[in-house]
Amino acid sequence: FGMLMIPENYATSILAAVQRFRDAGYRTKIGMPWVFFNGRHLACTGSACTAFRTPVGDEPLEQPGSLLYLACSKLHPKPAACSGASSAARAGLQTTKPTPQCENCAAFGSFRGPTENQQQHLSWIWQVLAMTTGVAAVVAVARAASHCSWGNRGSDAENGVE
């Protein structure tokens, strides 16, 4: 399921959707919800989807209905789960009340950048790490150079090689 919204892939999914809108030619902000059906952006309100959204306007669906109805209308033969799906014309468009504020949004979390004190601490840690790495590199090169030059001192005869 390519667009499943879980914390691990939320940003990737949103960026993919934004790219899909850009590729389709949208140049302005796009209202929520972002519902896609066979790769096309649906206009859905409450429990009914009524049109495909395009950059130049909505294209009304021949048979508006729930997302379940639209999906079931493409399946042949229809599975048992489709038995209760009906078009908006048969079910009547329903309005829904606004969704209350989220009381348990832990799954999505929230981002809070580091405080100024934390940024200074991180900066100090990176500086120490860079200095330590630099010193270690210089010491490693110096040891390698002294080892190489130590082996070349004197002639082969002096070193016991004939």
Side-chain angles (χ1 to χ4, degrees):
F1 193 72
M3 295 292 287
L4 184 62
M5 295 296 172
I6 57 175
E8 291 79 26
N9 68 3
Y10 181 77
T12 303
S13 297
I14 292 298
L15 292 174
V18 169
Q19 188 60 49
R20 183 181 287 179
F21 287 127
R22 285 185 181 144
D23 292 346
Y26 285 89
R27 299 288 175 243
T28 60
K29 292 182 180 178
I30 299 138
M32 295 285 201
W34 295 351
V35 179
F36 294 95
F37 184 68
N38 285 345
R40 296 186 67 195
H41 183 208
L42 276 174
C44 298
T45 304
S47 61
C49 299
T50 58
F52 284 115
R53 294 201 185 273
T54 71
V56 294
D58 289 353
E59 297 174 359
L61 295 171
E62 288 182 28
Q63 283 286 1
S66 68
L67 191 54
L68 174 64
Y69 170 77
L70 296 176
C72 288
S73 71
K74 299 292 182 188
L75 299 175
H76 302 288
K78 293 185 182 357
C82 291
S83 63
S86 62
S87 70
R90 282 191 280 162
L93 287 175
Q94 298 175 351
T95 58
T96 58
K97 295 179 181 178
T99 304
Q101 288 266 338
C102 179
E103 294 179 15
N104 184 6
C105 297
F108 291 104
S110 61
F111 175 77
R112 290 188 184 94
T115 64
E116 188 174 327
N117 188 31
Q118 290 170 328
Q119 285 178 335
Q120 289 174 349
H121 183 72
L122 287 172
S123 176
W124 181 81
I125 289 173
W126 280 110
Q127 289 173 0
V128 169
L129 183 61
M131 290 290 286
T132 305
T133 303
V135 169
V138 169
V139 168
V141 168
R143 284 194 73 194
S146 71
H147 184 69
C148 289
S149 65
W150 179 262
N152 291 333
R153 289 192 179 154
S155 67
D156 287 342
E158 293 173 348
N159 292 329
V161 180
E162 292 185 28

